[in-house]
Amino acid sequence: LECLKSVYLQTYTEYDIIEMCYDQSDFSLIRMLKDKGLFKKNKLIFLNKECVDNIESENYIFNYAFNKLKYDVCININIDDIYDNNRFMLQIKKIEEGYDIVSSDYKIFQNHEGEKYERDVKISKEFKDDYEERLYYCKMMIEKKVTLPFSCFTFNKKSWNLIKKVMFPEQLYLCKNILSKKIRIHTCNKFLLYHRIHNKQISNIYK
């Protein structure tokens, strides 16, 4: 509920909600909240489809959003993370400025066992030129120091067509597109995500 509260309190409110249960149940947390008077202005699209894991379900959701619903932009939400109230507004603004993927710095506040674990993860840096920035992102992905395709991301259909095949461990496919300048990337120099670590997410960045 902390996650959904942070979504409900977003300063940018013009969005639809796609909710998916990949255990094929009919339970909808958003529908329950709408019945209580929350998210009144936001259209709900509820999907249920059996999927192996969250990666398969994310692929299904985003393909459905871009190809079935004809959306232009998607904002990725993980139900157990918490977001800064200005996240949607800041990232959508950058998409409107011409970027294809917009991410952010983030804070880790809980480890995979539920214990308090504080760490700031700053992805944004000062680069001498555009190419140095692209090389940096590729290096970070190959070393698994950022989640793919970066943390707390908002993105358009163009970038999804390029990144949908690179869910772990196929990082090199995305690196090729980054270096060829097929997509424009921006990282907000703000902590817009407060992240819990899952037991399957332990990699270099958490050690």
Side-chain angles (χ1 to χ4, degrees), residues 85 152 154 183:
N85 293 350
C152 186
T154 295
I183 54 178

Side-chain angles (χ1 to χ4, degrees), residues 1-206:
L1 290 179
E2 290 178 276
C3 168
L4 294 176
K5 179 181 178 181
S6 72
V7 173
Y8 181 71
L9 294 176
Q10 289 293 314
T11 52
Y12 181 91
T13 60
E14 300 298 318
Y15 57 85
D16 295 340
I17 301 172
I18 303 177
E19 181 184 11
M20 179 169 175
C21 283
Y22 55 90
D23 62 358
Q24 289 190 304
S25 73
D26 291 324
F27 175 74
S28 168
L29 186 56
I30 301 296
R31 188 182 296 126
M32 182 182 72
L33 293 175
K34 286 178 78 69
D35 289 342
K36 294 182 179 297
L38 303 177
F39 297 106
K40 283 184 176 180
K41 297 180 180 180
N42 306 103
K43 180 181 177 181
L44 170 64
I45 298 95
F46 180 78
L47 306 173
N48 58 349
K49 180 182 184 298
E50 185 174 1
C51 296
V52 175
D53 52 30
N54 65 304
I55 293 176
E56 182 182 348
S57 66
E58 283 188 10
N59 273 310
Y60 183 84
I61 290 172
F62 295 135
N63 276 320
Y64 190 93
F66 288 126
N67 297 315
K68 180 73 173 179
L69 300 176
K70 306 300 181 183
Y71 287 175
D72 298 314
V73 177
C74 283
I75 302 172
N76 183 63
I77 294 291
N78 292 318
I79 198 67
D80 53 358
D81 289 334
I82 302 170
Y83 303 96
D84 183 274
N85 293 350
N86 291 316
R87 178 206 162 179
F88 291 8
M89 180 185 66
L90 292 171
Q91 293 189 333
I92 289 293
K93 182 178 179 181
K94 288 299 178 182
I95 293 289
E96 291 173 347
E97 290 176 5
Y99 290 97
D100 301 303
I101 301 176
V102 184
S103 186
S104 77
D105 297 334
Y106 61 99
K107 293 177 181 283
I108 301 169
F109 72 93
Q110 189 180 91
N111 69 14
H112 67 284
E113 295 176 338
E115 297 174 348
K116 185 177 181 180
Y117 180 93
E118 294 184 0
R119 181 171 178 184
D120 293 351
V121 182
K122 285 190 67 64
I123 302 174
S124 59
K125 295 181 179 294
E126 294 292 331
F127 300 100
K128 64 181 182 182
D129 56 34
D130 178 72
Y131 186 70
E132 183 182 61
E133 181 175 9
R134 292 170 184 276
L135 283 176
Y136 170 78
Y137 274 110
C138 292
K139 181 175 182 292
M140 290 286 282
M141 284 186 293
I142 291 171
E143 293 178 355
K144 291 183 271 187
K145 288 187 176 179
V146 291
T147 54
L148 297 180
F150 318 124
S151 69
C152 186
F153 57 97
T154 295
F155 57 102
N156 59 22
K157 183 175 181 179
K158 171 188 173 184
S159 61
W160 177 243
N161 286 334
L162 294 173
I163 67 178
K164 61 186 176 183
K165 296 182 180 179
V166 302
M167 294 299 181
F168 184 83
E170 298 176 283
Q171 303 99 322
L172 291 178
Y173 183 81
L174 180 55
C175 290
K176 176 183 176 182
N177 289 318
I178 292 174
L179 292 175
S180 66
K181 300 184 179 182
K182 290 183 178 180
I183 54 178
R184 293 188 68 201
I185 302 165
H186 176 77
T187 303
C188 297
N189 187 20
K190 295 179 181 294
F191 294 106
L192 301 182
L193 163 68
Y194 303 91
H195 176 55
R196 293 184 178 94
I197 304 172
H198 301 287
N199 58 359
K200 295 182 180 180
Q201 292 179 317
I202 305 171
S203 61
N204 296 346
I205 199 165
Y206 307 129

